[in-house]
């Protein structure tokens, strides 16, 4: 039996997560796998009802489960709160408390979505399949000191970018191990022409690379990488980068696939409890309208089967079913194109579930 903590969160979080749970239930039923679900609250939803974006009870529920399916958190309503009360704090704290330092964000182009991609056909024709590996519990997101002090004519605000050898080593190992099972190339993305942390990254990754001579390694500055992604995305296999650069480049990579509504992620760590979430946010402007794309959440469920439960074949069942539904022309609004059939969040979840129920 697999126990899954489900954290719907805010905005479109609940709608999309519901569809991912539906898909997991379809997999469970058709292939006789026992999944059970335990809902927990986080983000603005938890702040409003329990006074804390990440209540202790939610952490307990997560720790009693084998895996976590996370929706999205945040919304304009809570935008002016201090950092520790902000909904975003829920996901940042969960990542930190559970030691989820390795964030995998695969950006793959589904053939039938070529029209939704902003890239030119000549570029798309060369295909792309990128694994962005983002360091998730360090860097400027967590460095100290941080905060604000009063100065003469206003304030001074400080965030600190910091990385240690150990933090870089462990994420580099993850990247090389994953590259070994792919096309054996790691591109390290940094700003080592300017930043001290980036210079340490290069040094440490080079030394870890000595144990992975079968994997090709190259280095790009983050500004150049953001350009290369739109000009020649096919050059990338694994992109290894820090927390903030990874946040930015993964949104860019997502857009190349047609929509940010398509990209899943897996957050892994040393232990055995991992978290799966779409890379998009809570999109409060379209919440509750049944228009959000649930595919990123559904593909996150597929990553859960692959990385937490070692059910590679079942992950492929979900991925192939998503591909099949797209090939039949069904689209949510974000990936809609002439000649396709527009469906809502719920319908997309149902179509994919039905595909799984009929899977041979
Ligand atoms: C992401 C999101 C989060 C991040 C926010 C919601 C804190 O943008 O997962 O990419 O910056 O990590
Ligand atoms: Mg982001």
């Amino acid at each position: 039996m697999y126990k899954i903590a489900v954290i719907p969160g805010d905005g479109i979080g609940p709608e999309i997560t519901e569809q991912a749970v539906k898909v997991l239930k379809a997999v469970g039923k058709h292939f006789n796998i026992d999944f059970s679900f335990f809902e927990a609250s986080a983000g603005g939803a938890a702040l409003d009802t329990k006074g804390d974006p990440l209540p202790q009870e939610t952490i307990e529920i997560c720790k009693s489960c084998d895996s976590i399916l996370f929706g999205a958190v945040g919304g304009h309503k809570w935008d002016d709160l201090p950092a520790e009360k902000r909904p975003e704090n829920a996901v940042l704290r969960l990542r930190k408390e559970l030691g989820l330092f390795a964030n995998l964000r695969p950006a793959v182009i589904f053939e039938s979505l070529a029209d939704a991609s902003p890239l030119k056909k000549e570029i798309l024709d060369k295909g792309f399949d990128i694994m962005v590996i983002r360091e998730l519990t360090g860097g400027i997101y967590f460095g100290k000191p941080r905060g604000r002090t009063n100065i003469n004519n206003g304030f001074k605000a400080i965030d600190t970018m910091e990385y240690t050898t150990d933090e870089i080593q462990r994420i580099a190992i993850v990247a090389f191990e994953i590259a070994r099972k792919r096309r054996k190339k790691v591109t390290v993305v940094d700003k080592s022409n300017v930043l001290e942390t980036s210079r340490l990254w290069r040094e440490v990754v080079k030394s870890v690379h000595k144990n992975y001579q079968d994997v090709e390694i190259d280095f790009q500055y983050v500004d150049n990488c953001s350009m290369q992604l739109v000009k020649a995305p096919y050059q990338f296999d694994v992109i290894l980068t820090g927390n903030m650069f990874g946040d930015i480049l993964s949104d860019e990579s997502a857009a190349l696939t047609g929509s940010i509504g398509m990209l899943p992620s897996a957050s892994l760590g040393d232990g055995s409890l991992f978290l799966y979430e779409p890379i998009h946010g809570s999109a409060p402007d379209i919440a509750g309208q049944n228009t959000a794309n649930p595919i990123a959440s559904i593909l996150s469920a597929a990553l859960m089967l692959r990385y937490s439960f070692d059910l590679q074949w079942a992950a492929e069942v979900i991925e192939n079913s998503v591909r099949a539904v797209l090939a039949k022309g069904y689209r949510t609004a974000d990936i809609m194109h002439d000649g396709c059939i527009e469906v809502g969040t719920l319908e997309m979840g149902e179509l994919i579930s039905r595909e799984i129920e009929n899977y041979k």
Side-chain angles (χ1 to χ4, degrees):
M1 185 173 110
Y2 299 105
K3 293 167 79 177
I4 303 171
V6 179
I7 303 182
D10 309 316
I12 59 169
E15 303 165 62
I16 53 153
T17 309
E18 188 186 326
Q19 302 316 311
V21 168
K22 190 186 282 176
V23 162
L24 282 171
K25 283 184 179 160
V27 172
K29 193 163 163 221
H30 191 62
F31 297 100
N32 225 343
I33 309 171
D34 192 357
F35 296 120
S36 46
F37 302 91
F38 301 85
E39 197 168 312
S41 72
L47 182 72
D48 288 351
T49 52
K50 307 200 168 93
D52 181 354
L54 186 65
Q56 191 54 33
E57 177 192 316
T58 295
I59 302 176
E60 300 302 325
I61 294 175
C62 290
K63 287 188 174 163
S64 72
C65 287
D66 304 309
S67 181
I68 306 164
L69 182 68
F70 194 91
V73 287
H76 306 310
K77 181 177 167 194
W78 307 285
D79 271 350
D80 297 324
L81 294 174
E84 67 287 358
K85 291 270 176 188
R86 284 186 68 103
E88 288 80 1
N89 201 252
V91 71
L92 298 177
R93 264 167 64 199
L94 256 184
R95 291 168 179 171
K96 193 75 174 174
E97 288 209 17
L98 301 175
L100 305 174
F101 65 87
N103 186 215
L104 277 41
R105 302 190 155 186
V108 185
I109 180 96
F110 284 89
E111 255 167 60
S112 50
L113 283 193
D115 289 325
S117 171
L119 293 177
K120 279 193 192 138
K121 189 171 177 309
E122 309 86 276
I123 298 174
L124 272 186
D125 281 349
K126 297 193 180 163
F128 69 86
D129 174 355
I130 305 172
M131 177 66 90
V132 178
I133 301 188
R134 167 188 180 195
E135 198 291 324
L136 202 59
T137 52
I140 198 166
Y141 272 54
F142 295 96
K144 298 260 169 50
R146 64 182 297 157
R148 248 184 210 225
T149 47
N150 285 302
I151 53 164
N152 284 343
N153 297 319
F155 298 102
K156 181 164 96 171
I158 304 178
D159 293 289
T160 302
M161 174 106 111
E162 60 182 18
Y163 270 113
T164 62
T165 303
D166 289 351
E167 284 174 313
I168 303 165
Q169 244 161 14
R170 63 184 185 180
I171 189 82
I173 291 169
V174 170
F176 286 122
E177 289 290 338
I178 288 177
R180 251 186 192 161
K181 297 186 197 131
R182 295 172 46 100
R183 298 190 311 282
K184 296 194 170 56
K185 181 177 173 189
V186 171
T187 303
V188 181
V189 176
D190 62 28
K191 189 71 188 170
S192 61
N193 49 345
V194 178
L195 301 176
E196 215 44 63
T197 41
S198 290
R199 289 193 271 270
L200 184 62
W201 266 79
R202 281 205 184 193
E203 221 175 279
V204 175
V205 177
K206 275 183 194 157
S207 92
V208 174
H209 181 236
K210 294 200 179 101
N211 300 327
Y212 294 91
Q213 290 296 316
D214 52 319
V215 179
E216 185 193 338
I217 183 173
D218 73 343
F219 297 89
Q220 273 181 16
Y221 297 143
V222 63
D223 46 353
N224 180 32
C225 178
S226 71
M227 177 177 71
Q228 295 298 332
L229 273 169
V230 283
K231 282 182 71 172
Y234 42 80
Q235 71 184 282
F236 297 106
D237 177 18
V238 170
I239 289 179
L240 167 61
T241 190
N243 206 343
M244 185 164 64
F245 298 154
D247 178 43
I248 299 167
L249 295 175
S250 59
D251 270 32
E252 186 184 359
S253 313
L256 302 182
T257 71
S259 166
I260 194 170
M262 295 295 298
L263 229 75
S265 89
S267 302
L268 316 179
D270 282 331
S272 60
L273 177 59
F274 305 147
L275 181 146
Y276 300 84
E277 57 172 326
I279 81 148
H280 62 67
S282 56
D285 48 318
I286 59 163
Q289 297 172 16
N290 193 39
T291 55
N293 186 347
I295 294 180
S297 184
I298 291 168
L299 292 175
S300 299
L303 294 183
M304 175 186 294
L305 300 184
R306 177 172 295 130
Y307 293 111
S308 278
F309 304 152
D310 210 13
L311 298 169
Q312 169 69 20
W313 62 270
E316 282 168 18
V317 166
I318 296 182
E319 288 158 353
N320 291 338
S321 301
V322 168
R323 190 171 293 113
V325 168
L326 293 173
K328 287 177 183 167
Y330 294 106
R331 303 281 187 274
T332 41
D334 57 319
I335 48 175
M336 185 55 191
H337 190 261
D338 286 349
C340 292
I341 309 144
E342 188 168 332
V343 297
T345 312
L346 204 119
E347 292 73 27
M348 185 54 97
E350 258 152 32
L351 285 161
I352 296 167
S353 303
R354 214 167 308 142
E355 202 66 42
I356 291 168
E357 282 154 19
N358 296 318
Y359 203 91
K360 288 194 188 67

